[in-house]
Amino acid sequence: MMDKKAKSQEKYSHRAGIVTLIILFVGFVVISRLVAIQLFDSEDLKNYSQNQGFRSEEILPDRGLILDRNGEILADNIIVYNIGARYVDLLKPELCFRYMAETFGRTTAYYRDKLKKQKSFYTLETNVSPEQIAKIRANNVCHGLKYDKIMSRFYPYHDAAGQVLGFIDDAGKGQSGIEEYYDKLLSGEKGQIVIQRDRNGNIITAQNSRKISAKAGGKVNLTLDIEYQIILEEELEKAVTENKAKSGMGVIMDPRSGEVLAMANYPLFNPNELKKSTVANRRNRVIMDQFEPGSIFKFLPVAAALERNIYTLSSRIFCEEGSWKVGKHIIHDTDEHGWLTVNEILLYSSNIGVGKIGKQLGHQPLYDYARKFGFGEATAIGLSGESSGLLSNPSTWSGVAYSQIPMGQGLAVTLMQMMSAYSSIANGGILLKPYLVSQTFDNKNKVLSSSKITPVRRAISKEVAFDLKRMLESVVDSGTAKGAYIEGYHVAGKTGTAQKVVDGKYSNQKYYASFMGFFPAEDPVLVCGIVVDEPQYGRHYGASVAVPAVKNCFTRIINTPDFNTIYPQVIKHTGTIGYKEKENEFTSLSILSRSNNKKDLVWQPVKEKKAEETKEFNPKEYDVIMPKLIGMHILNAEKKLKDFGLQVDKNSRRGRVISQYPPAGTYLKLGESCKLETKQ
């Protein structure tokens, strides 16, 4: 028994010795390693630990500016903040949630649900203004929030030219308009920096020696004039809303160069409020939407017939007393005309008249001249998504297409194509390539590209263009576009009221109302076209919907402070009878537009209306007239008043004007103060 006990004790002592030796060995190794780390490896391990905490991050470059023709910034960069947090870092989470909900129009549950894991970091709000950040920081209930400063895109004129400028996505990439088309130039080049952050995301240190600086983006100068843009948008909005229409589009162009001075779409689009917009409102209808032009296309068969010497202005065509059977169809005119001259056919917008001209021309010449004027091909204006319209080969046309095409049916155009065509009439027959960008620059302000006048082809002769201008002036003077008349100026143009195709048939309730006009008719410097989609039936005519809008655009531009400086050749006329401008000789009001020598083109106004009687009130004692500002964005209204030399007293830098004093039309002197109130 004793032997067994002795043996057991011996085994226990042996095992205990082994364990003790192991413990002593491990302890020795650990202590030796600690000594080695402290005395020999401390610097290497310090560097290693620091490198483990560092990471490479991108440095985003400043995006390049977009400016109008006068240097006004249309797309800029501003500092905004992203707000984030970990639940465990918030000292008063529920109070903070309540304050954030009140500030950003959310619920407390929104923020509570966001911070699902207490120790994870979440982004709560993005693109927060510095002013809002200052208010949040000043509040004692939101300790623990983290604020990340970033650069964001800002459009100072808000919804002005929104569809033209486009927008950028969350990754900073242009998605439409100029922002997309020139994205590579505007984006610049990203940089890199190696930084170390703590567990809350705060930067501890940065390795500047390994920093690669970002390169800012280049700059894009547009041909747009922001003042003309705002005028066009306001008049387009009025035309759409007052006539309860679906949408609208408009363009103002310089026919001498092809420069687009304004391009508008309604409903408007504010790229600052991307989340509030719809895909339809972001679309640039001017270049994307196709429509049957209707009567604004009637110039083309007339131009082709004159160019090919098939007819002269005084040639008479029988218009069937308002009803003409073509195949199985009957073409009607608004009025029951008998014999009309070619000039009168355009004057009264006779469907039958242009149909008979088309029949005399034939399908192929109609097609050829449509192509000469740029229909059936994109204008290559320099924006993505441009449509080429629809102009099929004449081999596919029906046997009666000669009567449909001349009245603007059976083909589809874009407003940009139509603007280019009318500009070619205005400039003497040359189809020019339209353009929106005048110059581009790199980030050191070195010119990369400059646009120039680019003729595409001669569409018609100078003589025929001259005839068309005279005929289109007669449309304004005594035809369907009388509402476009401006006292003291010769205005030319053509109205259109085109039936829409619905479910494969022409609707009797839905129309496009349009007007293409230019002034002054004798030497045009501006062309303006407006198309309104589905105005309320009963007041759906181009003459009542689009004509007033174009006239108002021209009138307001004439009254801008620098109009006479920009267009010194445009002179307001006086007198009540016609005259030859070049010779300043009085003459009878003849319908003839050319002298016997075709090279000697002398302008003869169709009719000079009586000047308004002089009022007792003497406006010469004042300097400016208070414009109508209600409905405009406060930034646009403020700029307009300052351009007029007036002082501005406003209650906010945001929102649209709901009240103005003095009222519109008030005569004022330079330096007077005007009060504007807005509603955000």
Side-chain angles (χ1 to χ4, degrees):
M1 185 74 178
M2 290 296 293
D3 291 340
K4 290 182 179 180
K5 187 176 181 180
K7 288 180 180 180
S8 176
Q9 287 179 343
E10 185 179 346
K11 288 181 180 179
Y12 175 78
S13 298
H14 180 71
R15 290 173 182 170
I18 293 173
V19 170
T20 301
L21 288 172
I22 291 172
I23 291 172
L24 290 173
F25 178 76
V26 171
F28 175 77
V29 171
V30 170
I31 291 171
S32 299
R33 185 59 184 152
L34 288 174
V35 171
I37 289 172
Q38 291 294 324
L39 297 179
F40 306 109
D41 300 333
S42 59
E43 286 301 318
D44 291 340
L45 290 173
K46 181 181 178 182
N47 292 334
Y48 178 77
S49 65
Q50 287 179 344
N51 287 334
Q52 287 289 91
F54 280 96
R55 65 178 181 180
S56 178
E57 293 190 4
E58 288 183 340
I59 303 174
L60 296 178
D62 287 348
R63 192 170 177 86
L65 303 180
I66 303 175
L67 304 95
D68 84 339
R69 66 187 303 110
N70 299 312
E72 294 290 333
I73 297 176
L74 305 182
D76 200 355
N77 302 305
I78 58 169
I79 294 174
V80 294
Y81 291 81
N82 290 342
I83 301 175
R86 298 191 313 162
Y87 187 90
V88 295
D89 295 329
L90 298 175
L91 298 182
K92 302 174 182 178
E94 290 302 318
L95 290 177
C96 183
F97 295 161
R98 191 182 309 163
Y99 181 79
M100 292 278 284
E102 293 173 357
T103 302
F104 296 103
R106 302 189 188 276
T107 63
T108 55
Y110 172 83
Y111 297 103
R112 198 179 297 116
D113 293 342
K114 273 272 189 180
L115 299 169
K116 295 176 182 178
K117 297 179 181 179
Q118 292 196 353
K119 292 186 178 181
S120 297
F121 185 87
Y122 297 95
T123 298
L124 304 179
E125 295 291 343
T126 60
N127 294 322
V128 182
S129 69
E131 292 80 9
Q132 286 178 305
I133 294 296
K135 290 180 181 179
I136 296 170
R137 278 178 163 158
N139 190 285
N140 293 323
V141 300
C142 284
H143 289 300
L145 292 178
K146 304 301 177 186
Y147 308 100
D148 188 15
K149 184 168 70 172
I150 60 173
M151 275 294 204
S152 180
R153 202 62 159 164
F154 177 66
Y155 302 88
Y157 286 91
H158 298 263
D159 50 23
Q163 291 90 347
V164 177
L165 296 173
F167 63 96
I168 61 174
D169 60 17
D170 292 338
K173 185 173 179 60
Q175 292 299 306
S176 69
I178 296 295
E179 294 279 27
E180 178 187 13
Y181 200 83
Y182 289 91
D183 183 64
K184 186 175 181 180
L185 170 65
L186 293 167
S187 293
E189 296 180 16
K190 295 178 181 178
Q192 268 191 341
I193 188 169
V194 178
I195 61 173
Q196 185 182 31
R197 294 182 183 270
D198 63 18
R199 64 179 184 176
N200 295 329
N202 297 316
I203 296 176
I204 300 173
T205 185
Q207 294 185 353
N208 290 323
S209 61
R210 297 168 64 182
K211 177 180 178 181
I212 301 173
S213 298
K215 293 182 180 179
K219 184 173 64 175
V220 176
N221 280 21
L222 304 183
T223 60
L224 295 184
D225 185 313
I226 192 60
E227 190 164 12
Y228 292 10
Q229 180 72 29
I230 291 169
I231 288 172
L232 179 61
E233 287 183 348
E234 289 177 350
E235 295 303 329
L236 179 62
E237 180 177 4
K238 189 189 302 181
V240 172
T241 56
E242 289 183 355
N243 294 285
K244 299 180 181 179
K246 184 179 177 181
S247 63
M249 49 186 162
V251 176
I252 298 175
M253 236 176 115
D254 186 334
R256 304 165 300 174
S257 63
E259 293 173 289
V260 176
L261 305 177
M263 181 181 286
N265 296 266
Y266 188 84
L268 300 170
F269 162 56
N270 183 351
N272 292 321
E273 299 176 347
L274 182 61
K275 293 179 181 179
K276 295 181 181 179
S277 67
T278 64
V279 174
N281 288 359
R282 296 174 207 157
R283 191 176 72 250
N284 190 343
R285 305 170 192 274
V286 171
I287 63 168
M288 293 181 175
D289 282 14
Q290 301 179 155
F291 63 98
E292 288 199 352
S295 295
I296 56 175
F297 193 76
K298 288 176 179 174
F299 78 89
L300 189 134
V302 173
L306 294 176
E307 190 73 27
R308 292 170 69 89
N309 293 316
I310 294 174
Y311 293 110
T312 66
L313 292 182
S314 58
S315 297
R316 289 159 58 83
I317 297 172
F318 184 60
C319 293
E320 305 290 341
E321 303 296 343
S323 181
W324 183 37
K325 187 175 182 180
V326 180
K328 297 180 181 180
H329 303 281
I330 297 178
I331 296 176
H332 296 281
D333 274 344
T334 304
D335 298 310
E336 297 178 358
H337 296 295
W339 290 93
L340 293 178
T341 64
V342 170
N343 181 81
E344 290 169 334
I345 285 171
L346 203 58
L347 177 69
Y348 299 123
S349 197
S350 170
N351 294 328
I352 296 172
V354 294
K356 288 197 169 185
I357 291 174
K359 183 177 182 180
Q360 195 69 20
L361 278 166
H363 288 179
Q364 191 63 47
L366 276 173
Y367 174 82
D368 291 342
Y369 276 91
R371 294 289 293 182
K372 280 188 175 184
F373 277 102
F375 299 109
E377 61 182 357
T379 66
I381 191 171
L383 289 172
S384 299
E386 184 181 10
S387 169
S388 59
L390 179 63
L391 179 66
S392 58
N393 192 283
S395 63
T396 65
W397 292 6
S398 69
V400 295
Y402 63 80
S403 64
Q404 296 174 315
I405 298 293
M407 54 191 280
Q409 292 184 344
L411 76 161
V413 304
T414 66
L415 178 54
M416 198 65 248
Q417 289 174 329
M418 193 59 71
M419 288 295 300
S420 294
Y422 270 81
S423 290
S424 69
I425 299 171
N427 69 29
I430 302 294
L431 184 71
L432 298 177
K433 180 179 177 293
Y435 61 98
L436 263 169
V437 173
S438 58
Q439 286 185 308
T440 60
F441 300 83
D442 65 13
N443 59 3
K444 296 181 180 179
N445 215 34
K446 179 183 176 182
V447 176
L448 297 177
S449 67
S450 294
S451 298
K452 59 182 180 179
I453 299 173
T454 307
V456 178
R457 69 182 72 89
R458 175 166 283 283
I460 49 175
S461 66
K462 182 179 179 181
E463 291 77 19
V464 170
F466 190 89
D467 282 345
L468 284 173
K469 286 192 286 185
R470 287 287 290 108
M471 296 167 76
L472 293 172
E473 189 201 352
S474 71
V475 174
V476 172
D477 184 80
S478 54
T480 58
K482 293 178 183 177
Y485 173 78
I486 301 173
E487 179 65 39
Y489 297 93
H490 304 303
V491 182
K494 184 71 187 75
T495 57
T497 307
Q499 291 174 287
K500 292 187 68 174
V501 176
V502 180
D503 297 327
K505 297 180 180 179
Y506 285 104
S507 170
N508 291 321
Q509 298 288 321
K510 297 181 179 181
Y511 291 82
Y512 285 108
S514 58
F515 181 62
M516 305 294 298
F518 50 81
F519 101 105
E522 65 272 21
D523 186 15
V525 297
L526 294 176
V527 177
C528 180
I530 284 181
V531 178
V532 177
D533 185 6
E534 291 188 25
Q536 185 178 31
Y537 183 72
R539 50 184 183 186
H540 58 281
Y541 300 101
S544 57
V545 176
V547 165
V550 172
K551 175 189 175 176
N552 291 342
C553 286
F554 285 155
T555 303
R556 290 177 63 180
I557 289 172
I558 290 169
N559 288 315
T560 53
D562 54 358
F563 176 79
N564 292 329
T565 302
I566 298 173
Y567 306 108
Q569 71 274 40
V570 179
I571 301 171
K572 188 172 183 178
H573 305 299
T574 58
T576 58
I577 62 174
Y579 54 88
K580 295 182 180 180
E581 296 209 16
K582 291 185 179 179
E583 301 172 11
N584 198 26
E585 294 177 359
F586 291 99
T587 183
S588 61
L589 298 173
S590 171
I591 195 64
L592 296 178
S593 63
R594 286 185 258 163
S595 62
N596 292 330
N597 182 355
K598 288 189 176 183
K599 294 182 180 179
D600 180 21
L601 303 180
V602 181
W603 193 261
Q604 295 172 277
V606 176
K607 182 179 179 183
E608 193 71 35
K609 298 193 177 183
K610 292 183 180 180
E612 295 181 359
E613 294 182 4
T614 305
K615 300 178 181 179
E616 292 183 3
F617 175 75
N618 184 10
K620 292 183 179 180
E621 297 177 1
Y622 298 86
D623 300 302
V624 296
I625 301 174
M626 180 70 168
K628 181 181 177 182
L629 304 173
I630 293 175
M632 291 179 60
H633 194 280
I634 184 64
L635 293 179
N636 302 337
E638 181 182 12
K639 180 182 183 300
K640 180 181 287 293
L641 291 180
K642 287 183 177 179
D643 286 344
F644 284 162
L646 300 172
Q647 300 297 316
V648 184
D649 179 12
K650 60 185 186 299
N651 67 329
S652 173
R653 283 185 55 80
R654 297 175 180 269
R656 292 185 175 273
V657 178
I658 59 170
S659 174
Q660 69 175 77
Y661 183 83
T666 304
Y667 283 79
L668 301 171
K669 293 185 177 181
L670 293 177
E672 289 195 52
S673 181
C674 305
K675 186 174 182 179
L676 303 177
E677 291 187 4
T678 68
K679 181 180 180 180
Q680 297 185 33

